[in-house]
Every structure is written in structure tokens, then in C-alpha cells.
Amino acid sequence: MCGVFGAFTQNGGPVLEDVYLGLYALQHRGQESAGVAWVDDNNAIRTQKGNGLVHLALDQEALAKIDTRCAIGHVRYSTAGGSDPRNIQPLTASNSRGSVAVAHNGNITNAEALKQYLENRGAIFHSLTDTEVLLHLMAHQPHKPMIDAFVDSLRRLKGAYSLVMILDGKLVAARDPWGFRPLVIGQRDRIIYVSSETCALDLVGAKALREVAPGEVVVIDKDEIKSIRIPVQTKCHYQCSFEYVYFARPDSILAGRSVYAVRKALGHCLAKRAPCLSANMVTGMPDSGTIASMGFAEGSTLPYEKAIVRNRYVGRTFINPTQRVRELGVRIKLNPIHDLIKDRKIVVIDDSIVRGTTSQRIIAMIRAGGAKEVHVRISSPPVCFPCYYGIDTPSRVELAAARMNIKELEKIIGADSLEYITVDDLVQAIGLPRNELCTACFTGEYMEGETQDELEL
Amino acid sequence: MCGVFGAFTQNGGPVLEDVYLGLYALQHRGQESAGVAWVDDNNAIRTQKGNGLVHLALDQEALAKIDTRCAIGHVRYSTAGGSDPRNIQPLTASNSRGSVAVAHNGNITNAEALKQYLENRGAIFHSLTDTEVLLHLMAHQPHKPMIDAFVDSLRRLKGAYSLVMILDGKLVAARDPWGFRPLVIGQRDRIIYVSSETCALDLVGAKALREVAPGEVVVIDKDEIKSIRIPVQTKCHYQCSFEYVYFARPDSILAGRSVYAVRKALGHCLAKRAPCLSANMVTGMPDSGTIASMGFAEGSTLPYEKAIVRNRYVGRTFINPTQRVRELGVRIKLNPIHDLIKDRKIVVIDDSIVRGTTSQRIIAMIRAGGAKEVHVRISSPPVCFPCYYGIDTPSRVELAAARMNIKELEKIIGADSLEYITVDDLVQAIGLPRNELCTACFTGEYMEGETQDELEL
Amino acid sequence: MCGVFGAFTQNGGPVLEDVYLGLYALQHRGQESAGVAWVDDNNAIRTQKGNGLVHLALDQEALAKIDTRCAIGHVRYSTAGGSDPRNIQPLTASNSRGSVAVAHNGNITNAEALKQYLENRGAIFHSLTDTEVLLHLMAHQPHKPMIDAFVDSLRRLKGAYSLVMILDGKLVAARDPWGFRPLVIGQRDRIIYVSSETCALDLVGAKALREVAPGEVVVIDKDEIKSIRIPVQTKCHYQCSFEYVYFARPDSILAGRSVYAVRKALGHCLAKRAPCLSANMVTGMPDSGTIASMGFAEGSTLPYEKAIVRNRYVGRTFINPTQRVRELGVRIKLNPIHDLIKDRKIVVIDDSIVRGTTSQRIIAMIRAGGAKEVHVRISSPPVCFPCYYGIDTPSRVELAAARMNIKELEKIIGADSLEYITVDDLVQAIGLPRNELCTACFTGEYMEGETQDELEL
Amino acid sequence: MCGVFGAFTQNGGPVLEDVYLGLYALQHRGQESAGVAWVDDNNAIRTQKGNGLVHLALDQEALAKIDTRCAIGHVRYSTAGGSDPRNIQPLTASNSRGSVAVAHNGNITNAEALKQYLENRGAIFHSLTDTEVLLHLMAHQPHKPMIDAFVDSLRRLKGAYSLVMILDGKLVAARDPWGFRPLVIGQRDRIIYVSSETCALDLVGAKALREVAPGEVVVIDKDEIKSIRIPVQTKCHYQCSFEYVYFARPDSILAGRSVYAVRKALGHCLAKRAPCLSANMVTGMPDSGTIASMGFAEGSTLPYEKAIVRNRYVGRTFINPTQRVRELGVRIKLNPIHDLIKDRKIVVIDDSIVRGTTSQRIIAMIRAGGAKEVHVRISSPPVCFPCYYGIDTPSRVELAAARMNIKELEKIIGADSLEYITVDDLVQAIGLPRNELCTACFTGEYMEGETQDELEL
Ligand SMILES: Nc1ncnc2c1ncn2[C@@H]1O[C@H](COP(=O)(O)OP(=O)(O)O)[C@@H](O)[C@H]1O
Ligand SMILES: Nc1ncnc2c1ncn2[C@@H]1O[C@H](COP(=O)(O)OP(=O)(O)O)[C@@H](O)[C@H]1O
Ligand SMILES: Nc1ncnc2c1ncn2[C@@H]1O[C@H](COP(=O)(O)OP(=O)(O)O)[C@@H](O)[C@H]1O
Ligand SMILES: Nc1ncnc2c1ncn2[C@@H]1O[C@H](COP(=O)(O)OP(=O)(O)O)[C@@H](O)[C@H]1O
Ligand code: SF4
Ligand code: SF4
Ligand code: SF4
Ligand code: SF4
Ligand SMILES: [Mg+2]
Ligand SMILES: [Mg+2]
Ligand SMILES: [Mg+2]
Ligand SMILES: [Mg+2]
């Protein structure tokens, strides 16, 4: 998971600082590194990049002073390529035709094959990112105008990409034909923005205009906002359903649906599908289970309490996994309120179970705090399949729900009961037609046409 | 506001890493700087200190490797003395008699006079902290055993101090005779801990034993836990009521009262004292208003929604107050969920109003989001007086509630209605006798005996 | 000017630390940045790089712990590309055929044309160095064995290159057919070294075996040291004569000639060619004029004094060119010993005059110190032409000796007399045949065949 | 050994940047840390300090922008107190009477006793420096004017101090009654400077006015330069003779004697006292033996060669003493020029032998380089006693010349012959009366009155 943001102004304004602030609002989509790129007075592309959170990686004060008409940015989720600075996006390339910078959310599933093909034609890869494939595809079509080389390159990509780019001094946004990751266009006066989520538009004071459609390329320059189709046919869309369940911020709107409202609905669903009449109280795993647990409380007759406190600094601070820290485990992050759980029967709602180890430890901690019963309810279906579209889910053998049935899992995590919603519940709570949504990590139904085509550049 | 933590072990163990983790749990009490001090093999005191959050200021990995039997730590709230490294606590001093390190939460009200007196006797002050006065008072009694010099020095201090110290290689805790700031003793196996709040004991897996009593000095060494009285008479106690309302973490227990439960009770109180029958919905200002708003919802018939989303990274990240950031104001930090507030009449609960500017901006933002009415309810009485006991409240002229009556304030912040609870409500919600609590910032009833006594060392 | 160093061991040993130390001995060849590359256990190439002096740019302690059989390093002279980390060498590239790292001393004169050609075939350049051209030339011959692609690429290069590379896990050294920059092979037990100068071999305790010949590629692996010819015909060699005059360290041996001995001989020459009988004393501009001035003293009847003291820290420390620093000028760096110069007639020897501004300021300072006469003697011919072979000499319009005759220059720098040696003197002092030496910056006789050939890959 | 520098201006000017530059010129007197202090607009004292060389420890650019009329600075030699930032000078103290900052070159021999005394009166020491004693002595006389408290405090100090201070907003310089360390006053227009050596006056373009006399306090304010006597009687002076031999820069003038000229004279002396007729050549250990070796060559009939090259970056760069570095030993630092030493009989001149290990290693290296004979001549008498006056000489048991006679030492270091000059030679070469010079490290004749007097403040 990553976040992208871009801004273009027709008549000046603090677009680079707005990109900084946009990334700050998208920080939940990636904490590993951050970067920005912008156009300087000579139409050359400049960058600033760094590891860690936005405010550590980038120098707000310096950026605020830079005058540019077009800028983009990226926050990167922790991935294998790790902390190598060459992997920090935006990636850039320039040659006599011009310069390009690209920020990418998603994962190109045929990147390995394309890389092989390009290396056989002399390409030298400098990063370990799948994104770099795009730059080489473009470079290997040197005699076309850049925008044509770009669209032609997209045609060869499989998988998920929501891109924000600087190209020919213009702001270009593109979304793969399946629409896996969100991408939305906003406006404030004469500045046009592109963002992964609407919450970042809110922060910079912009209004959401519309989403970039699956398969659309949007080119923003000083005269107009132009739309181009990527020449790829798809039978249906694959908008990621997990964005609603977990990734996106609750104050964002995706495909016209409020994430907050969807999470509430998931809680209602869960209360109907898997009530827990004997319990005294509902609580949510902070933060991802909070809203669904409020929905569950509303949908059942149980009172809702914020019974588990999450240390505010967790997730932004790096605690070394020393011997002592491993011993303390989940306490470092979470603390139940003893008064509330003592001698009570509790329903705990979370968004999902991945490996199951965290759930196990929290349940143990709640029991140690004196709870009589701990019932677990999950506001999504069991995650049984890896995601190849930009989420670092573990392989099947590590996915708890892929390795055992629910009863076994219930036992292993130590819950008095464990229940999930169904895929139908999920689709219904989201409110989009089923064939517009990706549910592959729940169902294994990946997008079609995964095989590598024979394409000659 | 600051946080202090200490640990002493009789038979080894990771006490220095536990102090690090304890500070991490107390991070909400101070983000300006952090420091630790410990005893090395030669009974000398070593320190590590730095600016910013615990994980930036201190090197967990290095600390985890250090073997010591006694260690203390401190997180400091932003104050005037600012980022000068000399002000970072623990402060230390050593001479032929031995070494001492001190971490202090509170504020000594007669520090200036004592400093004058000590300088006239040749003392050189190296920091700008009131805490250093204590070290010089002790040094100026060179012929007494250190613990006697310490207790005799405390006798001369007015105001608030919850101290954790290393003294003669022992762990010493002390709390002023009025009991302003909390201080609690915990235990895990053969390790004794002292902490500002119980939440930090929870994190390190310790059980709370009891509080350090107002006017008590506790000396912990390898043989025993000894208790000494500070020879000062007081008519009553002044435990800070604002700790319950705002400072302390909701999962802490102060003087036997759960902070969460008190906040819930404050919300119930407020619903009774100042209901808002016309509204459609209650929400809380995150995070400080959250629990009270849940109490308000329970106490009224209104549904509770988490309608305002706080950026998780705010408060841990420094955003430069550039022109653009000032323009965006509270958006940088908070975002209302548009779906929820559009065309609704909303009650917003917060813990307090200090200058009123933030309230004003949030109300405006909620209205801009389409809310029909915005009613504000505050879960404490109006703050009309400055605090001299360790909180950086502004002077009276800046306190909104000191400058105008509630109706005027309601108008200024732009609320459709504004209401508070009373001091009696507050005392009742806390559940301690009124003469055990400080309410000076609400009532102006400061502790007595504020005048400087003529003491000769 | 840059410095390169490499090491390969057949049976273990601290080769990476030796590369560090070799660079330390070559530090005078470049202070802008430093980098090392080595082969890890999986035959992958790892690097460490940084700006500034070797000890700041690299982490000796970390490198000393790494076990590798093959490593190279580079120190870079300040150039236009500046402090951008992407320009720090060794450059690396890897693909399915294997990995390559390259450290380059020299300058490829047809780099721009080759870059154009390669970009038209899809290459993306990541640095601003001429060196990267080589990597792309190799990558664009993907179906040849790497060593063949390498030699074939060298064939297309014009200009100066002394290269140390890791290629296929082997240590490869190469020197352009003209032999501009030095490159020497050394040995210590079973470790083979390649270095820009012999002084670095001395430091690591190695013996010089022989030079890499102009036009030779040397491939060092665990079985043998193999030699390949670059298939380019040249009529003569162009070993840089300025290395003797200025660049190389006095304790190095180039092409069998001791730099110290050559500098002494230049001083003797100068004493014969341009004596200064009326003077009382000879001194040298530290450090570059020192040895020649000792030779001059020997060759004349004048006493030698170290009359100008150079601040030891100059050149390793960055002094900001503030207003005040500009005002103080050369004083920041040099200080004449007043006792010695007062009322004396002085001969000052330097290696060369480039822009003339430094000479002017020093002469003024010596006069201000009370000298009666200041005669300047230069131990090389006038520098009238820019160097295109790896030295950042300014363009002709900035070269003092290109803009005016010697009498004019004498007047401008304020000398009582100014004299040079001739090109014949220089050649004779070096002791190599004239057609083995480059003297282009003195004579304008650049190597032939500068034009770009039409080569298809 | 340390260096101090101060500047006061009556009508503006870049005094703080000049202090920076002065320290840069005095860098050879201390590389461990550097610091500056200055007076701000409110007459408060501000400081900037850091570890390492001046350009790393201090921020020239920031200092250049600060406007102040009075500033001082200090470079510290590596000492036991090590890298603790609290030990970096200038030390400061302030109280209601005013502020003081002090930079100290020398060593107070009764510091321990005074510290004891002061701690018994309540003083808390914050650094491990002997210098801090002075600040407490002043603070313990709170009812006197500061300058009186200062002079009265000096009266109680034994040993060596050359001080530069800010006191009452004035620039104050003081030199102990014995005159151990140099201190000189200079002037440029309306700026008055105080410096350890004249070379720093040269750098800032100032003229030396006169030395601060032993036992003199100089007070510089906007109206005048006032002189006060320290009320201590001494029979003779103890100006450090080793400053001429080793510490001071050759371009400095101490007590009217040129350091360069003294070193030359020491070489002539040595040639007379201990000629070496069989040798072919003289060389000097760089850098400390260079000038004496030139004197030796002049005084004998032998030619002088710079046969040993010292890596320019040594001494400013930290090379970790890894296994490999220990193995390479002195090669890291020095390299003999093989052509020059091969089959020759060589005289090597150095300034002194302390532990003897370096000499041993260099002689071995020169022999390994092919020299037939290596004769060592030392331009000072044998160092047999530790220095208590500001030089970190090792204790007697570690001093080679204290543990054995010269013949034994000759054998241990592996020289074909080893000879020294006498104390009389030294005194004569310096040209000051014997009773004005300290020669204690050669003779053991320490200053008298070393015992602690009973002084009551
Ligand atoms: N500012 C915010 N306020 C509320 N929720 C947020 C905010 N930012 C991100 N989130 C939500 O936090 C959840 C992830 O946090 P959490 O569950 O605590 O971490 P994790 O499960 O990754 O350890 C996601 O569901 C995301 O929607
Ligand atoms: N881990 C935590 N979980 C919930 N609340 C917390 C936590 N840590 C601190 N708090 C509470 O947060 C409140 C302060 O946060 P907030 O209102 O967002 O900041 P402020 O009002 O200072 O801008 C306090 O009431 C404190 O009790
Ligand atoms: N360790 C060394 N000892 C003596 N000379 C050196 C050393 N390292 C480099 N040099 C010589 O120093 C000269 C360059 O120094 P210098 O003249 O002071 O600097 P510049 O002229 O570049 O300002 C070169 O001639 C080089 O050969
Ligand atoms: N800029 C300079 N030029 C020449 N000599 C210097 C300079 N700065 C310091 N010195 C001299 O260098 C000598 C110390 O250097 P060196 O002998 O190389 O180091 P050490 O003996 O401490 O290892 C001293 O005698 C000092 O006078
Ligand atoms: S597999 Fe799951 S996480 Fe991945 S895109 Fe599809 S729904 Fe989203
Ligand atoms: S004045 Fe207010 S904040 Fe201060 S201690 Fe008293 S109750 Fe607490
Ligand atoms: S032009 Fe001059 S500096 Fe350049 S290689 Fe030729 S001789 Fe050397
Ligand atoms: S003992 Fe030696 S080094 Fe110390 S002051 Fe005296 S002469 Fe100088
Ligand atoms: Mg979660
Ligand atoms: Mg708040
Ligand atoms: Mg030079
Ligand atoms: Mg020396």
C-alpha cells in the first residue's frame, strides 16, 4: 500500500507545500519513506526524498519556499526492497526528449517478465521497484512523443497502478483498467490536485471533482484537463474491497461510498450474521476495529466501550524488537482498561485476522485482565489468499485462515467464539455491484489474463 | 506537565530498558525532551538525553545492553526554557559525598526566591529549571548525610513535586505534601517501579502496589522499601482534578479512580446539567473529548458518532507554521466526516476551552461541512485561573473564560449553544472529597502559605 | 583528477579495509566524495558511498568487518556534477548476466555523443558522469559474455580512462590506449592490488609489480592475471606530464620515474634556465612548490627557507567564502614568516599559475611582510590550454598565460620578475621520450582522432 | 595544550567570525573540541560548542551573521575528560551580578584541593575541568564586584593559566604569575584581540601589540585597555620552553623570539653538539623535525632532503585502530621516498622522544626501505619528567628517557646512534635568560610553592 498525490497550478500558489501536506494526510498509506518531485524553472525535474515519516523524510520549510507549477509526491509502505534510497519514489528519468517523474500505488504483476525483456534490449535497472519498468518501456520508444510512449507502455502492464506523474511539464494521472487502487481529482481555485484518497483533498482545502476512471489517463496542463483511454479491454472492474475494510481513512470517500459508513454497515452486518447475546459489552480493536464495533453495538443491544487503549505513538515510533520487547509483546502497543473488562463477557471486533498471532496475544491479555469471556467478531470474510495488487499480505502458508478452519483458528487464538461475515455481506455493505470489486484475498478470484503476452516494442 | 519513571532491581533485570518503555507509555505527558539516568558499576551516575520524542531522544538499543540496578527517566513538556540541552532532565550532581540524579514533575512556586538566596551563597545555576534549586539546597548542607540533606531541602520547597531520584545508589521517590501530581509504586518480581501513572506500570508488566502518599519520601534499596515523612503540615490535599479531565491517560488509575470512568461520569453529568434535546447526534473532539462524549450519548438519548477524524501523526510530527499552514489551520489536524454532519444538528464535547481559538476554527469547519447547528458542551468547569503547579496554562488575560462570560464566549466561538459543568459536578464525578482536590484553575482557590518563609540553611 | 584502487585476494584477507586505506593514501587525488564496492557471498555487488573525505564518506569500522574477495574504490575530485549522490563512484549495474562496478579516473571525450546514441536506443542515464556511458555500452551488448562486451565498449571510447572494475566477480583494470592517467599493479602475499599511484601500495604494504600498460585490460581472478589488448591503434602515448609537476604525491613512482626526483630536477632546470642572482633566499609555495624550490636552491647558490607556512587544516576543512573570508583572502591558508622575509629579496617557486589570482595575493602578502623584492619562478611551462583528460582546468579565457604574455602576467601578479621553464626542460626532467608524454595544456597538441566515429553496436 | 582567542570591538565588525578564524589558526593547539562564547544584545552570554575540528564543531555561517562586540573561543586538546560536552570550553556561569565565560589554556595544579574546599561549601561542579574551580571561587564571593572576585580568585590558583574571558560584557585576559603559556594582544583598527599565538593575529590581519605579562590581568572595554596585577609574588618566570621546540606554530613569535628561528638554531646546535660525519644525508621527521633538520643540514656539510612524506590527512582524520591498522602501524601516516634512502646513511631529526614506540617503528621502516644506517638526533634534551602545566605528557614510568639511559634507548629504537642537545643548548637557542624559562620536563625543576595554602574566602 502506498499513497500518491499531485498538484498543478495555472497561476502560481504553494503547490509543493500542498503536496507535502497531501502526503501528510496520506501518511497512513505508507510510513517507510516519502518523496516529492517538481518542475523547476528550466523544466527540469528536482526531487527531495528520505526514509521514514513525511516530516522526517522531507524538509517542509525548504519545500514551502520553492516556486513550481507542477509537483507530485509519494509515501511508501514498508516492502522487501527496504530502506535502499534508490527505491524511494518518485522515480525520475530524463533524456533529450524531456523529463519524467512517477509516483505509483499498486503492483505490476508482469514486471519480472518485462524487466527480463528490457534487460535483453540493454536496459539497466537502478531500483528494485516494479515501477521502473514503466520508465524503461517509455525510454525504449524514443521516437514517439512522450505521452504516446507512456500510453503505449501502460498497455503492456498487468495489475494495479494508480499513477501520478510529471511528464513534459504536465501533471499526468493514470489508473489501471481494473481500477484496483483509488485515485481522485480535486480542485481549489485554479489548482488541480490528484490524490489517492479524498481525505488529502480535504486537508488542502480542495473539493473532490471526480475519480480517475479505471483505464483512464488524465493530462493536466495550463489549458485543460484532457482524458485519454488506455487501449485495454476488461470485462469488469476490480476495485479493492479491502480499502473499505482497512486501508483507507474513515473520512475518505471511495467510489462515492463513505468509508466510515461502510465500516458501520459492516458492524451492523456482523451483529446480524454473528450476534453474541450472552456478552455484556462490545469493544473494537483500536484503531481498525473501532467503527465496525460501534456498528455492532448499534446493531445488537450491547453497550459500546473504548476498552482497549492504543499507545498514540505506536506506529510512528520504532521500538526495537529486543528480548524484553518481545516478552512484553502486544502490551507495548495496547492496554485494556481493567475496570471495564474485569469479570465481563466481552465482544472484540477487528477488521481482519492475518497471521493470528496478534489476536492470540490480545485475547490472552484481556483474559489476564480478568475478562470472563472473549468473543471475537471480524468485519470481513476470512483472508485466505495473498494479494498481488499492492498489499504485502503473506503467502498462503502463513495466512491463518488459509491453514485451518474457523473452529481451529478460534481455538488457536484462544477466543470463546470467532465469527466472520460473508463475501456477500461485504459486497452489500460496500454497496457496489459485485463485478466492480476485487475480493481475491477472500475468494481467490484473481483478475483474468494473468499470463504474459508476446509484445514487441 | 511531565512524566517520571524509575526502577530498582534487587537481582538484575532490564531496568534501564524498562525505564525507556515506561517513558514511552508516559509520552503523552511530555514530548519536548526525554532523558534517563542510571547507576554504573562504580556507583557513578550516567545519563542519556535528547530532544523530541522518547524514541528519537534516547537510544533504546544501547540502553537495553546496559546493566544497572537503578535507573530513572523523565519526559518533559514543552516549556519556556525551550530546547536548551541543559534543561533536559534528569538533572545530576555529584561530589565527594556521592551522586544524585533527579526527575521532577510539577512546579516549585518559591524557586525564584530560593535561587536568589542560594546564589547569594555562591551557587552557580546551570539550567533554567526550578528543579535545580533542590540540588543546590542539598549541596549547601554538605555535612549531613545525603538523605537528610534531601528531606531537609524538601521542607523548604513550596508547590508541586513528584520526584523520582537516584540518591546514594538507591531509588528515591517523593511527593509534595499537597499531592498535586500523581506518583505510584509498582512491582514485578523483584523489581520495584515508580511511575507518574499506572498505564506505564501496565506496559512493563508490573502491578500497582500503592501511591506515594502526599508528603511521603520512599527509599528503595536492596533490602527494603522505607518511608519517611516530609516535616511539613498541611490542612488538606490538592490533587490535581485536571489530571482526570485531560492530562492522564484514560487507562490509568489515579487515587483509586479510573480516569476512563471519571470521564464517562463527566459526560453523564454534562448530559444532565446541559442536555441538548434538539440535536441529532453527539461527537467528541478527538482525543480529549471522546470518552466524555460517549458518556453524554449514554446519558442523553442521542446517538454517538466518531464524526471528527484526527490525523494520527499530529502531535508527534512537527508541521512548520508557514503561511499556508496557518491558512489551513485546524484542517491540518482534524477532518469532519462530511456524510455524518451534513444537515445535522450536532453536539460536540470537549474537555476544556483555553484560549478558544481552536474551538472557533473547528466549529467553523463543521459548519462549512454542512452542519445545521453546532452545540458545544465542556466536560469541566470554565478555566478562569492560571495553574502554578506544573501546567503551562496561559495567564488570565489569555484565558477565554476569564475574559468574558459564557454567553460572550459562545458567540465568539460561533456555537449555537455553549455549556459547562460546575465544580461540584466535577468533584462528584471524580469521587474524592473536595478538600483532597485542587480546583484552582476553575475557582482561583490556590493552596495556602504561598509566601516565602525566612529559612536559613 | 580522481583516484582508483582495487584489491583481489585468492585466500581471504582484509581487502575491503585495504581499499579504504588505499583511498586514504590517494586522498590528494580527490576530496569531493569517496566510495567502495565489493562482492558479497552471493556474488552480488554492494556499495558504500558518501560525500567528503574518505573518513567521513565511508565507515572504516563497518568495512573492516566485511569479508569479501574483491573490492574497488574511488575518490572523486570536485567537479560540476557536484554533490549529487548519484554521481559518486563506483557506479554499478546488474542484470541477469551478472553485476559490474566501475571506478574511473580520467575523462571520456566522446561521452556526449555516445550518450545521445544510447538514449536514442532507450538508455536511461542516472548519473551525470561520463563513466556511465561505459555501463550502457556494455548493457546494449546483452548477448555477449560480459568481458567481451566490456572490451568492445572500450573500443568506442575516446580520451582518458584508468579503470578499476568488478566484473563477473573478478577484479578488472583497464587503461586507455593513450595512457593518460597512471595505473599500477601491486602484490602482497596472495592479494593483488591495482592503484592510481604507488604511494597507496606502500601504505598497504604491497610491492609494485608493474604498470597497467596503455591499451591493456588486466583480468585478475583466483587462478591468474590475464592480459587483453584493447583493439585500438595509437601512434604514440600521452602520459600526463602534469602528474609529475603537480598531481601525484612526491613519494610515488610513475612510469619508473620518482615524482620527487622529477620535481627536484625541475627545480635544477629552473635555476639554470632562470637564475636570480640578486636574491637572498629561495622559498617554495607550500606544498606544491616545496620540492622544486629545494632543487632551485641546490642549483643556485641561494639558501632555502620554509618561509611560508600553510595552515595544516586547509583543504580538508571547508571555510565558507563569507565577506570577511574573501577580504582576508590567502591569509586563511598561508602565512609568511616575517623574520625571514623582512628586507629580503626572495625567490618564490610554484608548480604552475592557473588564474593568477592566488599568486597575486601571495606576492602582495609577502611584500606587506616587508620583502624588498619578490621573484617568481614556475617549475613548468605556461599553462595555455585546457585539459580534456580528467583535469578541471578552466577554459582558455580564464587561463592567465593564455590571455597575456609573461611580461604582462608578471606585472599583473606584481612580481619583480616571473620566469618559467620550457616544454623541452619539462620533458627532459621527466626523462621519458617526448612522444610518450601529453603536454597539451602547455602546447595545445591534443591527442589525434578526436572526432566521433560512426559505430553501430 | 589548548588554544584561546578573544576579540572586542568598539565600533562593530565581524568579531565572532574573527574568533572562529582565530581558532582555525590555533587548531594545532587542540583538535578534540572547539567552542565560542559571545555577548548578545541583552548582555547575556551565548555559546556554540562541539566536538572535533573547528569547522565541524562550529557553524561558521551562523556565527558570521551574529552581531556582537565581545567574543571568545577555545580549542581543546584531547584529554582524559574526553568527549563529554560539558567539558567543552568556554565554560559559562551567570547570576544576578552578571555573566561570565572563560576559555583556559594551562592546568591549575591545586584544582583538586580547591574543588574539595568549594564542595564543602556547597558548590556543585558540572564539568570535569580544573577551569570550573575559578567560576566557583568567583561565585563564592558574591558581594564583591565581579572583577574583584575574579582577581581575588586568581590569587588562590597555582599552576598555569592563560585565560580569555567575557566578564561584565568586557574582554578580560589573564596570565598566571609564572607565565607558563603564551598570550598576546593584537589590534586591527578598533578591534582588540587576545590570542595564544601571533599566527592567529596574522590570519585576522591584526598587528601584535605586546604580550600579556606574567601575573597581568588585562581588561578591555569600549573606553580603554586597563592592566591589573595579580597579587602573587614570584621569584622567576616559567615560560614553557617546549612551546618553541614543539607546540607553537613555526610562524609564531613568543616572547619576542621567532619559533622558526629557534628551531633552526636548535638544529645548528645539534649539528655542533652531535655531528654525524659519516652520513650522506639529513632528513626531518615531518612535521615536527623539519625545521631543525634544515638547521642541522646548514650546520653540517650534509645535504637536506624531504625524504619522509607525511599523509596530509593524518591528524585531522580518525583512522580506527583495527587489527590491520595496527599491523601497518606508522605506514598509515608516513612513507619514506625509496629512491632517496636506498643504500644511504641517513640522519633523522625529530623534536623529542616520548614513549619511543613511534621512533622505533619509523627507524624499522626506513631500514626496510634499504637505508644502510639510521642516525637519530633530537632537537631538545631528553624528556624525563611529566609536565603539570597543561601538557598531557605520560607519567615517568612511560617516558622512555626516564626509564633508561640514552645508549639503552638507542638500542631499543634500533638507531645506529642517538644523540640529544643539552638544557644549556636549549636555553641558549631560545635566547631568554634561564630563570625565565620552564624546563621542568627535562630537569625536574618544577616551580616552587606547589603546596596548598590555607585560604579562607
Ligand atoms: N487518522 C485516523 N483516524 C482514524 N483511523 C485511522 C486514521 N488513520 C488511519 N486510520 C485507520 O487505522 C487503521 C489501522 O490502524 P491499526 O489497526 O491501529 O493498525 P494496524 O492494524 O495496522 O496495526 C486503518 O483501518 C485505518 O483506516
Ligand atoms: N493512548 C491514548 N489513547 C487515548 N487517549 C489518549 C492517549 N494518550 C493520551 N490520551 C488523551 O489524549 C488527550 C489529549 O489529546 P488531544 O485532545 O488530541 O490533544 P490536544 O487537546 O492536546 O491537542 C488527553 O485527554 C489524554 O488523556
Ligand atoms: N602527503 C603529501 N606530502 C607532500 N606533498 C603532498 C602530499 N599530498 C599531496 N602533496 C602535494 O601537494 C600539492 C598540492 O598541494 P597545495 O599546493 O598545497 O594545494 P593547491 O595548490 O592545490 O592549493 C601537490 O603537488 C601534491 O603532489
Ligand atoms: N601549519 C603548520 N605548518 C608547519 N608546522 C606546523 C603547522 N601547524 C603545526 N605545525 C607543527 O607541527 C608539529 C606537530 O606535527 P607532527 O610532528 O606531524 O605531529 P605529531 O608529532 O604530534 O604526530 C609541531 O611542531 C607544530 O609546530
Ligand atoms: S486481493 Fe484483496 S487486498 Fe488485494 S486488491 Fe483484491 S481485495 Fe484488495
Ligand atoms: S490549578 Fe488546575 S491544573 Fe493546576 S493543579 Fe490545580 S486543578 Fe490541576
Ligand atoms: S593536457 Fe596537461 S593536465 Fe591534461 S593530460 Fe595533458 S599534460 Fe596532463
Ligand atoms: S614541564 Fe616542559 S612542557 Fe611543561 S611547561 Fe615546563 S617546559 Fe613546558
Ligand atoms: Mg489493526
Ligand atoms: Mg484536545
Ligand atoms: Mg599549490
Ligand atoms: Mg612529530
Side-chain angles (χ1 to χ4, degrees), chain A residues 17 260 264 305 322 324, chain B residues 17-18 260 264 305 322:
Chain A
E17 190 172 10
Y260 184 94
K264 263 290 188 69
E305 299 283 358
T322 58
R324 178 77 178 124
Chain B
E17 190 173 10
D18 276 9
Y260 183 94
K264 262 290 188 70
E305 299 283 359
T322 55

Side-chain angles (χ1 to χ4, degrees), chain D residues 163-278:
Chain D
L163 301 169
V164 180
M165 301 179 70
I166 302 173
L167 200 151
D168 258 351
K170 297 167 186 167
L171 178 65
V172 175
R175 194 167 169 208
D176 62 72
W178 304 273
F180 284 102
R181 299 286 148 227
L183 198 62
V184 59
I185 307 176
Q187 176 162 19
R188 177 172 67 87
D189 303 331
R190 307 206 48 190
I191 307 182
I192 304 297
Y193 298 91
V194 182
S195 173
S196 287
E197 295 186 30
T198 59
C199 66
L201 298 178
D202 293 343
L203 190 148
V204 297
K207 273 229 141 44
L209 291 182
R210 65 171 180 92
E211 302 218 321
V212 176
E216 183 183 11
V217 173
V218 177
V219 181
I220 299 151
D221 66 14
K222 67 180 174 8
D223 302 314
E224 52 178 347
I225 302 183
K226 217 170 52 192
S227 182
I228 307 176
R229 287 264 91 209
I230 304 169
V232 169
Q233 300 297 346
T234 58
K235 283 200 290 273
C236 54
H237 289 161
Y238 284 84
Q239 295 174 64
C240 173
S241 57
F242 221 78
E243 292 272 354
Y244 293 98
V245 171
Y246 175 76
F247 302 125
R249 251 174 63 171
D251 50 337
S252 284
I253 311 278
L254 305 184
R257 269 91 199 143
S258 153
V259 172
Y260 183 92
V262 170
R263 289 187 188 170
K264 262 290 188 70
L266 289 167
H268 278 276
C269 247
L270 196 51
K272 217 191 291 170
R273 171 78 52 204
C276 188
L277 302 175
S278 66

Side-chain angles (χ1 to χ4, degrees), chain A residues 14 17-18 20-21 24-29 31 53 55-56 59-61 64 188 193 198-199 201-206 249-251 253 256-258 260-261 264 286-288 290-291 294 298 303-307 309-325 327-328 331-340, chain B residues 14 17-18 20-21 24-29 31 53 55-56 59-61 64 188 193 198-199 201-206 249-251 253 256-258 260-261 264 286-288 290-291 294 298 303-307 309-325 327-328 331-340:
Chain A
E17 190 172 10
D18 276 8
Y20 177 93
L21 293 169
Y24 179 64
L26 298 173
Q27 184 78 80
H28 63 290
R29 294 183 77 85
Q31 294 95 38
L53 296 184
H55 75 292
L56 292 173
D59 179 347
Q60 184 203 346
E61 224 167 359
R188 177 173 66 86
Y193 298 91
T198 60
C199 65
L201 298 178
D202 291 343
L203 190 148
V204 298
R249 252 175 63 170
D251 49 335
I253 311 277
R257 271 88 198 146
S258 153
Y260 184 94
K264 263 290 188 69
D287 291 337
S288 47
T290 304
I291 300 165
M294 287 166 53
E298 285 169 19
Y304 162 69
E305 299 283 358
K306 266 181 87 60
V309 171
R310 184 181 137 112
N311 184 315
R312 288 169 158 226
Y313 301 92
V314 155
R316 280 114 255 177
T317 56
F318 180 67
I319 297 288
N320 280 303
T322 58
Q323 166 62 16
R324 178 77 178 124
V325 164
E327 187 184 313
L328 291 169
R331 276 170 200 282
I332 301 285
K333 192 169 158 179
L334 299 172
N335 197 24
I337 297 186
H338 296 273
D339 274 22
L340 288 174
Chain B
E17 190 173 10
D18 276 9
Y20 177 93
L21 294 169
Y24 179 64
L26 297 173
Q27 184 77 79
H28 63 291
R29 295 184 76 85
Q31 294 96 37
L53 295 184
H55 75 291
L56 292 173
D59 179 347
Q60 184 202 347
E61 223 167 0
R188 176 173 66 88
Y193 298 91
T198 59
C199 67
L201 297 178
D202 293 343
L203 189 149
V204 297
R249 251 174 64 170
D251 50 336
I253 311 279
R257 270 90 198 144
S258 153
Y260 183 94
K264 262 290 188 70
D287 291 336
S288 47
T290 303
I291 300 165
M294 287 166 54
E298 285 170 20
Y304 163 69
E305 299 283 359
K306 265 181 89 57
V309 171
R310 184 181 138 111
N311 184 314
R312 289 169 156 227
Y313 301 92
V314 154
R316 283 113 253 179
T317 55
F318 180 67
I319 297 289
N320 280 303
T322 55
Q323 166 62 17
R324 177 77 178 124
V325 165
E327 186 182 314
L328 291 169
R331 277 171 199 282
I332 301 286
K333 193 169 157 177
L334 300 172
N335 195 25
I337 297 185
H338 297 273
D339 274 22
L340 288 173

